[in-house]
Structures are given as structure tokens and as C-alpha cells.
Amino acid sequence: MKFRTRGLVASMLLLCSLPTLAGERPKIALVLGGGGAKGAAHIGVLKVLEENRIPVDFVSGTSIGAYVGGLYALGYDADQIETIMMSLDFNTGFSDEIPREQLSYRDKQFRDEFPIDPKMGWGDGKFKVAKGALQGQTMSSLIRRSIGLVPTLDNFDSLPVPFRAVATNMPDRSEVILHDGDFAEALQASMSVPGFLAPVKRDGKLLSDGGMVNNLPISIAKDQGADIVIAVDIGAPLRSEDGIDSVFAVVGQLSGFLTNENRNQQVAMLDNDDILIMPRVDGVKMTDFSSMKHIIPQGEIAAKRQLANLSDLSLSEAEYASYQQSKLRQRQQLVRSVQPITRVELQNNSQASDRLVLDKLKGLPKAEMDAEAVEDAVENVYALDQFERVGASIEKNAHNDESTLVVKTEEKSWGPNVFNAGVHFEDGFNDDLHLVVDGALTVNNLFGSGGQWRTSVTLGTDYNVATDWYQPLDSQERVYTMLGGKLGKKRWNGLMNVEDAPFTRFNQKSSELYGGVGVNISNNAQVELAYRYEDGAFDAMNTNLLGDMGDYWVHGAELSVGYDTLNGSIFPTSGQQLTAKVGYKSSGSTSYFDSLSGQDDYWQYQLDWKGATHFGSHNLIGRVSLESVEQGKENLSNLVTLGGFLNLSGYARNSLVGNHKALATAVYTYQLDKKLVGTEWPVFVGASAEMGNVWTEKPTSDLDDWIKAGSVFVSAETSMGAAALSFGQADSGESSVYLFFGKPF
């Protein structure tokens, strides 16, 4: 009897340990490794699994493997994942620059002057730098747009396919398994390559790419209860001696040591029934996202090599259809669970006022919201340019029948007071080199009320020191006041037509004070009323005189109106920019030349317009610039100039000087294919036609009195400003070759 009892127990244990004998299929886990753009091979593997009706019960992934696996866990099939990934420009994920057209009017003008953002600042009594070259704002937007609206989940097991992602906790390099919470945030944490993308703060941890600790998370699949693991390894082998040819290669090799070591440890966990798929992706760079479509077939080829083993896992058509229907029902339930979104909650972890941020979210929630509407709202907030990152998540209420859109802001970790820089280089190869370097420190949230105190320094051919205080007068920053001043020197390359002038160049030293009020009509328009006082002196160069040419003073009120929707400062492809000023001034000057001495009251006018449009790769840019004064004679206090690249090309920079100016310019550019030029920066070839002049007296309508000029050039828009190599010719016979780089001229 004792023997029979033992035999019965043994038989029951045997049955429990062999679920397939009882009609149950083995649980299959799909493990997708990290490898950047090479992750497109995962799509090819998924296609083969689907073609052969192989179910997936668990998914775990690292970095790009987490992203592809996450989409699959959400219920997307291989073709849908391919469509999503091919429609995304992953290269934009490696740039967090706010598009110029989304910035406020004030910030647009500031970026034009200081286009270089070094991600450095000053706060808490110390110098600060960003934790990554990029903060991941655009990358998080790409992820959220591609996955759609997914609510915060108590457990990723509730997805159509249970899912896990791997990240690295940077303080102690420990493995973190992401299994709940904000799904998009989990994917981004697993994909945040150290040094390129800043770590993600989550649950008290600082998370980066999981490849440093577990690039092929087979151990997680085993822990999920998988009977069989299908692992897809797209890791790169270590470089040979010849391949270690730069500091970047050395850093890559060190990273490879970590990745390959943990990969080998994971592969050692595979059993005889497990399947390892290794697509041939050698030679493909992690950032070569333009090649992803050509990498997908490599995944298919590698998976088909394992068909003999994979076919044992295949379901019947009826069983696989039932499996697919189950995933579809769960996905539909997940999508329906998000709606309706009935409220918006702000978690503001910055010094920006809640009212200012909420003003950017007005109109939300809508009756029906999708991922595009959420991302548009997030972009509006991020465009305030006061945050390191702006995120969004969907939170369900206790009854699970309504949702809240939670918008989270994070203050710049290198702030709140930040540095910016700019450079302008222009050489006409005619002894007229112009080079200036600018730096600015902006102190934000002055007095805790959104005020800014900005101080800038310019060094080089010209120099100046400037400071200004900008103070909003309401919580939405519609009305403001400003106060400032500057002190500097500017070099001029020519002089107005004054009889017997024995020199060709002179320096202007000046000081200025101003104050006023303004209204931000919209994100693109501004009106200001200001009072300015300026005095200065001119010193002649290249002369036998003592150098004292004269001095001047001027003061008065001016009203200005600005409108700006351009998407670029120098070579835009869309938008318009308009600046109109009118002022009433009192001035006086004393000069070596009698014709430049005296006092006068006068009206001053200025109009600048620039517009751009494009047709495919063809771009047209138009510009009109007018300046004039209502006074009886020339005056040192209101000199204007022309000359230089696209400012009557052929002439040296600032070589035409007078009291009145008129310029009309038409520019055509053709954008070259990025693959042809081998850079992500837009590169153009173009030509310009220009007409204008300066006058000491009123401009004339006689076209013979207008200079006609033109240029041909090659140009590029870089992160530090525009660059151009140009040849210019004027009908007066002046010609010049220009090398230009930096901020607007």
C-alpha cells in the first residue's frame, strides 16, 4: 500500500512537469537585443515568426530591442511596426533644438544673436553642465507618437503580450527591470545611450541604456516563466586593432567590452530547446537609421536559417487565429480604456509659473484626443525654452472610467541661469576680415516673477558689453517692461560721400541707455514703445589726422512692431518676418567736417521684410530693407550701411555708408540630397539678385542711381549658424569672394 501511494504521487508529479502531454503548448518568450539602427532586423524576425504561426507569450528587450518589443507587446504586427519605424525620422531624435517658428518672438531674436547653446549654466553657487549631449525631448516625442495613447499601467503583464524592458541605474550600474508605470518613459529609459541622451529620472533612479548591464535579457525571459526562448542578438563584435583609430573608437571599444561580456553571460543560459538568431548586421553603424529598410531582410534571412527549430513551435491556423484575436481584443480594450480624457493636471517642477504653462495647454482636454494632439500640446510647452524636458502621461481614475492627461515639466539641470554663445565670421579676402565672438548669461525668474536679466559680451573686430532687464507684468507674460544699456565699439569700412575725406575706415564708440514697455500680441508678434539715449564718437583710421572725426548725441521715443514666423534666420524655407519702426529723435553732432555738425529734430523710419517659400527642394527668399530720416542734412547720429554677402554682394562689408538705405534682394536656393553631401545639415546651392544703395540725401527713384549686384554660393545650416562660400559681383565693377559663418549679418 505504501508503494502504491508513492507511485501515485510520482505519476502526478510527472504529469505536472509535462504540460505538453496534457495538451498545453510551451510558453514562448521573445528576447530582442540592443544595437541602435540594427534593431530593424528584429522586424524581419517578427515577420518570419508570424508567417510560420509562432506565438509569443512574453517579450523582453533592451534599448532598440525594448522599443520594437514594446510595439509588439502593444499588439502591433510586424508590418505595422515596419510602417511605424519607417515613417519616423530617428535622426531628429538626436536633436532637441526647438524649431525656430515655435519660439516666442523674443526668443527668436535672441537665438539669431546667440545660436549656440552649450547646455551650461550657473545655479546654486556653482557651474553646471548637462548630463547628456541631448536631453531626450524629441526622442520621447517620437516614442509617444509611435505607440499612441497608452495609460500608466500597474503591470506590463496586462498588455496584449506581457513585457519587460531593461535599463541601467547610473549611480551603481545595477540592472533595473521595468515592468510597470509610464510605458513610453520605460522605453526611453532603456534607449537613453549615456553621453548622447540624458538619463531618465524614474522611481528615484537615474536610468540609462540597459545595454551596459544586460543587452540580451534572456535571464528575464526565464524569470517570466518561459519554456522556450527565442533570442535575437544584433550586438557588434569588438573592433580589431586597425579599427581602433580614434578617441571615439576607443570609447566604443570600452562600451563593447561591457556589452559583449553581459551578452556572453546571457547566451550561456540558453538550453538545448532555446533558439538563438543572429542577423548579419556587421558593418552597420548604430546610428545609420537611413539604412533600416535594408536591414530588415537580414532578420528574415537569419530567422529562416532556424526554421527547422522554429517549425516545432508552429500552431495550426485555427489556433494561431485564436491567439491573434485574443491579442486584438486586449489591444482594443487598452485603447478604449484611455477615453474619455476629462481633465489636465500639471506637475510643474520648474520656476516657470503654472499659469504660463497652462496657457500653452488651453483647449485641452478635447472630446476626442489622440497622440498627435497630446504631442502638439507638449511641444507648445517645451517651446517656452525654460525646461530640460516636458513629458506627458495618461492616468486612470479609481473607477477606471475617466482619464487625466498629466503634463510634467523638469527645469534645466544646468540652470536656472544659462549661457549662450554666437560667432560671426566674414572674410571678403580684401583686408576686410570681420570676426566677433559673443557670450551671454541669462538670469531667469528674477524676483520670482518670470523676469530675466541678460548680460552679453562681444569680442573681436567689434566689441560691446550689454545688459538688459525684461520684466513681465502679468502671469501670462503678455505685457512687459524693459530697461537696459550697452557700451561698445564698431568698425566701419567706408564713409559717406563727404568732400576731401582722407580716410577709408573709421571706428565708432558709443554708449546707450533705453527703457520702455511692450505687449506680446501672440507667440509671433510684439509691439514696443521705448525711449533711447545714445552718445558716441568717431575716430578715423588710415589717416594722417589725429583721428578725431567727431562726436554726437541722440535721444527720443520710438514705436516698433515685429512679426516673425520664419523657420530659419538666414536661409529659411517658409514663413515671414516684418519689423517696422518709427521714432521722433533729437540729435546733435560736432565734426571735423562742417557738413556733419549741428543739431536737428527729425522723424526716423525703418522697415524690414523677409519672406520664404519652397517647392520641394527649391526655395525662394525675398527681402526688402528701408531706412530713412526726415532731416535736412547728413548726421553722424543715424548712419546706416550696406555691403557684404547678400547686402550688395561684391562690396566689402559695411563699405557703403549714409543716412538713408534701400535694398531689395531675391535669393534662390536648392537643397542638396543629404546622402549626396553626407551630412544631416541642410546644404544648399544658390544665387541672389540684389538692388539698392545708401544716400546722404533723400533716395531717388532714378534706377541708374541704384547699384545692381548678385552672387552665387554654396551654403549650409549648422547648429552654430549658417556657413557659406560665395562670389559676389556688382554692376559698378566691385567683386568679392566671401567666406561666411555664424549668426545673421
Side-chain angles (χ1 to χ4, degrees):
M1 192 70 181
K2 186 175 182 181
F3 175 81
R4 290 181 179 177
T5 303
R6 288 179 178 175
L8 180 61
V9 171
S11 298
M12 293 178 65
L13 290 174
L14 179 62
L15 288 172
C16 292
S17 64
L18 297 173
T20 54
L21 295 179
E24 294 183 13
R25 64 175 179 81
K27 296 298 183 182
I28 301 170
L30 179 65
V31 177
L32 302 180
K38 294 180 288 185
H42 292 321
I43 301 174
V45 173
L46 290 174
K47 287 185 175 184
V48 173
L49 296 182
E50 291 176 350
E51 289 167 1
N52 291 273
R53 302 187 303 276
I54 298 171
V56 174
D57 302 292
F58 311 105
V59 178
S60 60
T62 298
S63 196
I64 191 69
Y67 177 72
V68 177
L71 289 172
Y72 197 69
L74 286 171
Y76 293 104
D77 62 30
D79 289 338
Q80 290 172 322
I81 295 173
E82 180 180 4
T83 299
I84 290 170
M85 291 185 66
M86 294 307 106
S87 68
L88 298 177
D89 185 356
F90 279 92
N91 287 307
T92 64
F94 292 92
S95 172
D96 282 334
E97 182 173 289
I98 302 168
R100 186 182 185 278
E101 59 270 29
Q102 293 181 9
L103 292 169
S104 69
Y105 184 88
R106 172 178 164 84
D107 287 341
K108 288 170 185 169
Q109 314 315 307
F110 177 70
R111 181 188 286 185
D112 290 351
E113 286 294 311
F114 301 91
I116 303 171
D117 181 3
K119 300 293 190 297
M120 299 177 182
W122 182 267
D124 303 323
K126 60 183 178 181
F127 181 75
K128 298 180 179 181
V129 296
K131 295 182 177 69
L134 300 167
Q135 307 316 304
Q137 179 66 28
T138 307
M139 184 62 76
S140 65
S141 179
L142 284 175
I143 293 172
R144 288 194 297 265
R145 288 182 190 274
S146 60
I147 68 174
L149 295 182
V150 178
T152 299
L153 300 169
D154 293 333
N155 196 309
F156 292 164
D157 286 346
S158 62
L159 293 170
V161 181
F163 174 76
R164 299 290 184 271
V166 180
T168 303
N169 188 29
M170 291 301 290
D172 59 8
R173 195 177 160 254
S174 60
E175 179 183 72
V176 178
I177 301 172
L178 304 172
H179 54 77
D180 61 9
D182 186 335
F183 190 69
E185 184 182 67
L187 299 184
Q188 180 165 2
S190 185
M191 297 171 69
S192 294
V193 181
F196 290 97
L197 294 170
V200 174
K201 296 177 183 177
R202 179 182 168 99
D203 299 330
K205 297 181 175 66
L206 203 59
L207 304 181
S208 284
D209 194 295
M212 293 184 288
V213 290
N214 196 344
N215 200 49
L216 191 65
I218 294 168
S219 57
I220 296 175
K222 297 283 188 180
D223 291 341
Q224 283 180 289
D227 298 308
I228 295 177
V229 171
I230 301 173
V232 186
D233 179 20
I234 57 170
L238 295 175
R239 299 169 185 259
S240 64
E241 182 177 347
D242 293 339
I244 306 175
D245 55 3
S246 69
V247 64
F248 301 105
V250 172
V251 173
Q253 187 80 334
L254 292 174
S255 175
F257 287 149
L258 295 174
T259 302
N260 280 272
E261 180 182 2
N262 69 61
R263 176 262 183 203
N264 293 337
Q265 292 172 350
Q266 293 294 309
V267 170
M269 297 182 182
L270 293 174
D271 298 324
N272 291 334
D273 292 335
D274 296 329
I275 300 169
L276 178 62
I277 299 174
M278 301 179 64
R280 292 178 179 173
V281 288
D282 296 352
V284 179
K285 296 180 180 179
M286 293 181 62
T287 56
D288 192 7
F289 295 104
S290 61
S291 299
M292 287 198 301
K293 194 166 188 66
H294 306 294
I295 299 172
I296 294 174
Q298 293 301 321
E300 295 183 70
I301 294 170
K304 288 178 180 178
R305 291 196 200 101
Q306 296 287 344
L307 271 182
N309 297 318
L310 290 171
S311 60
D312 294 337
L313 307 176
S314 180
L315 298 180
S316 68
E317 291 188 6
E319 289 173 323
Y320 194 69
S322 175
Y323 162 79
Q324 293 285 61
Q325 284 297 318
S326 176
K327 285 204 307 180
L328 180 60
R329 284 194 299 271
Q330 287 178 277
R331 170 155 180 76
Q332 290 173 339
Q333 182 179 354
L334 182 69
V335 172
R336 286 195 298 267
S337 71
V338 175
Q339 303 292 351
I341 298 175
T342 57
R343 59 188 293 268
V344 175
E345 177 185 323
L346 173 63
Q347 296 180 6
N348 186 11
N349 302 305
S350 75
Q351 296 184 16
S353 72
D354 288 358
R355 182 70 179 273
L356 178 64
V357 178
L358 290 172
D359 185 59
K360 297 296 180 180
L361 299 172
K362 62 185 177 183
L364 297 181
K366 298 179 180 178
E368 288 291 333
M369 288 186 62
D370 56 17
E372 292 298 318
V374 171
E375 287 312 302
D376 288 345
V378 168
E379 283 185 358
N380 286 338
V381 175
Y382 187 64
L384 289 170
D385 202 19
Q386 298 187 33
F387 313 108
E388 178 170 333
R389 189 178 292 167
V390 179
S393 60
I394 307 295
E395 304 283 353
K396 303 293 295 179
N397 67 4
H399 302 289
N400 213 37
D401 58 356
E402 290 182 321
S403 300
T404 298
L405 172 64
V406 180
V407 177
K408 309 169 190 175
T409 64
E410 294 180 28
E411 189 165 73
K412 294 177 179 178
S413 58
W414 61 94
N417 311 313
V418 298
F419 293 102
N420 291 84
V423 62
H424 178 98
F425 173 88
E426 187 173 345
D427 191 355
F429 301 100
N430 291 317
D431 194 28
D432 59 351
L433 172 67
H434 185 266
L435 172 64
V436 295
V437 178
D438 304 289
L441 172 63
T442 303
V443 178
N444 287 298
N445 201 36
L446 200 63
F447 308 128
S449 56
Q452 286 184 331
W453 177 28
R454 182 171 289 153
T455 301
S456 64
V457 176
T458 298
L459 300 174
T461 307
D462 302 333
Y463 74 79
N464 69 63
V465 178
T467 187
D468 74 89
W469 169 42
Y470 172 88
Q471 181 60 59
L473 300 179
D474 63 300
S475 60
Q476 294 174 286
E477 300 191 5
R478 303 294 178 136
V479 183
Y480 63 90
T481 185
M482 79 280 192
L483 181 67
K486 63 181 179 180
L487 176 69
K489 182 206 74 168
K490 179 179 180 181
R491 191 185 76 183
W492 301 66
N493 289 323
L495 186 64
M496 65 181 71
N497 185 20
V498 176
E499 186 178 356
D500 297 329
F503 46 82
T504 58
R505 293 183 178 179
F506 57 96
N507 290 324
Q508 176 189 14
K509 297 178 180 178
S510 63
S511 59
E512 179 182 355
L513 293 173
Y514 62 87
V517 295
V519 178
N520 293 311
I521 300 174
S522 69
N523 204 51
N524 301 317
Q526 186 182 81
V527 176
E528 279 188 356
L529 178 63
Y531 196 91
R532 298 179 182 273
Y533 175 86
E534 178 184 347
D535 65 26
F538 289 90
D539 295 322
M541 301 171 64
N542 302 337
T543 176
N544 293 323
L545 299 178
L546 294 178
D548 183 10
M549 177 181 155
D551 53 39
Y552 70 93
W553 55 265
V554 59
H555 64 87
E558 64 180 30
L559 178 67
S560 63
V561 178
Y563 176 79
D564 193 342
T565 59
L566 290 178
N567 67 348
S569 58
I570 298 180
F571 298 108
T573 59
S574 66
Q576 296 190 68
Q577 182 183 63
L578 175 68
T579 303
K581 292 183 180 181
V582 59
Y584 187 76
K585 305 292 182 67
S586 296
S587 71
S589 61
T590 59
S591 173
Y592 176 86
F593 305 99
D594 292 338
S595 60
L596 296 177
S597 299
Q599 297 187 24
D600 201 0
D601 294 338
Y602 57 88
W603 287 95
Q604 186 177 36
Y605 309 99
Q606 179 181 343
L607 177 68
D608 285 289
W609 172 85
K610 191 174 188 178
T613 188
H614 70 278
F615 309 93
S617 298
H618 303 273
N619 310 295
L620 294 175
I621 305 169
R623 181 188 172 201
V624 174
S625 182
L626 305 170
E627 290 190 53
S628 186
V629 290
E630 291 273 351
Q631 63 179 23
K633 63 176 183 177
E634 59 266 21
N635 193 305
L636 288 177
S637 65
N638 50 67
L639 297 183
V640 293
T641 68
L642 279 177
F645 179 47
L646 300 183
N647 286 275
L648 291 185
S649 299
Y651 283 86
R653 175 185 171 88
N654 293 339
S655 60
L656 299 171
V657 185
N659 292 130
H660 311 270
K661 177 180 80 172
L663 175 68
T665 302
V667 179
Y668 165 79
T669 64
Y670 177 81
Q671 184 171 347
L672 300 176
D673 186 87
K674 292 182 179 180
K675 292 182 180 179
L676 176 66
V677 297
T679 176
E680 288 301 316
W681 292 332
V683 178
F684 307 90
V685 292
S688 69
E690 307 151 39
M691 184 173 68
N693 207 342
V694 297
W695 297 266
T696 55
E697 299 179 355
K698 293 284 185 178
T700 68
S701 58
D702 184 357
L703 292 182
D704 291 337
D705 198 28
W706 291 57
I707 299 171
K708 290 81 175 178
S711 70
V712 291
F713 57 85
V714 177
S715 65
E717 288 279 5
T718 77
S719 58
M720 298 176 63
L725 178 63
S726 170
F727 171 76
Q729 177 75 49
D731 65 351
S732 60
E734 298 283 341
S735 65
S736 189
V737 175
Y738 299 102
L739 180 61
F740 172 86
F741 177 75
K743 63 182 187 177
F745 30 81

